[in-house]
Amino acid sequence: MAQDLKPEGDITFPHELMTFINEWKDKPGSLIMILHKTQEIFGFISRPAAERLSVLTGISLARVYGVITFYHFFKTAKPGKHKISVCLGTACYLKGAQDLIEETRKILGLEPDGVTEDGQFSVDPVRCVGCCGLAPVITVGTDTFGKLSKDMIPGIIAKYQNV
């Protein structure tokens, strides 16, 4: 059972995460909340983190991974320092967001779910960023760029290359 698992690798959960897990672990539907908090803290959910969550919550590792892999939001690999999110909501999609994803990946030499060799950039599609009036939209970290065309992508990437 989950209590018999020994996490691979050495991972330490900060006090903030341990407190959160202890508050939520016995509530129905807690796993998604705990996974969100874990990803917020680490940027992704590693295998050792998933194993430790399984032990701490008593939820099987299979169920933990089932939720992680079902929801596109959760990542099992460390994203780039500058996470580029391309909105694929209806308005953005209709105004060419797919072209923005392709152009961004082409410039950075990335495959889907890839990270640049230097660890600086990753590109992910997202369902909606809530800026439909600015379609198409990308975000880089907390910065939002709207009303974009493919020819604007190199300039946006350049802003983050040596940061």
Side-chain angles (χ1 to χ4, degrees), residues 108-150:
L108 295 171
L110 291 176
E111 295 294 321
D113 297 323
V115 177
T116 55
E117 281 187 25
D118 61 4
Q120 292 297 300
F121 294 96
S122 58
V123 180
D124 292 303
V126 294
R127 292 294 145 220
C128 185
V129 296
C131 298
C132 301
L134 297 176
V137 172
I138 70 167
T139 62
V140 182
T142 58
D143 299 333
T144 302
F145 301 89
K147 298 193 178 201
L148 298 176
S149 60
K150 287 187 343 180

Side-chain angles (χ1 to χ4, degrees), residues 25-42:
K25 71 180 179 181
D26 296 323
K27 296 179 182 178
S30 64
L31 181 56
I32 290 177
M33 296 298 294
I34 291 170
L35 291 171
H36 275 291
K37 188 67 167 181
T38 302
Q39 184 160 293
E40 176 186 312
I41 289 172
F42 293 109

Side-chain angles (χ1 to χ4, degrees), residues 17-94:
L17 180 56
M18 290 301 299
T19 300
F20 190 87
I21 291 167
N22 288 329
E23 287 175 16
W24 280 88
K25 71 180 179 181
D26 296 323
K27 296 179 182 178
S30 64
L31 181 56
I32 290 177
M33 296 298 294
I34 291 170
L35 291 171
H36 275 291
K37 188 67 167 181
T38 302
Q39 184 160 293
E40 176 186 312
I41 289 172
F42 293 109
F44 69 110
I45 303 168
S46 66
R47 170 78 183 209
E51 290 175 349
R52 180 125 192 251
L53 288 174
S54 175
V55 171
L56 292 171
T57 61
I59 298 170
S60 73
L61 184 59
R63 184 162 170 233
V64 171
Y65 261 94
V67 171
I68 291 170
T69 58
F70 179 80
Y71 293 101
H72 190 265
F73 174 81
F74 296 119
K75 303 294 177 200
T76 57
K78 185 175 181 177
K81 176 181 175 184
H82 303 291
K83 182 180 174 191
I84 300 172
S85 298
V86 182
C87 181
L88 286 182
T90 303
C92 289
Y93 184 81
L94 291 174

Side-chain angles (χ1 to χ4, degrees), residues 149-161:
S149 60
K150 287 187 343 180
D151 63 327
M152 299 165 87
I153 298 298
I156 292 169
I157 290 171
K159 290 180 184 183
Y160 298 91
Q161 284 184 314

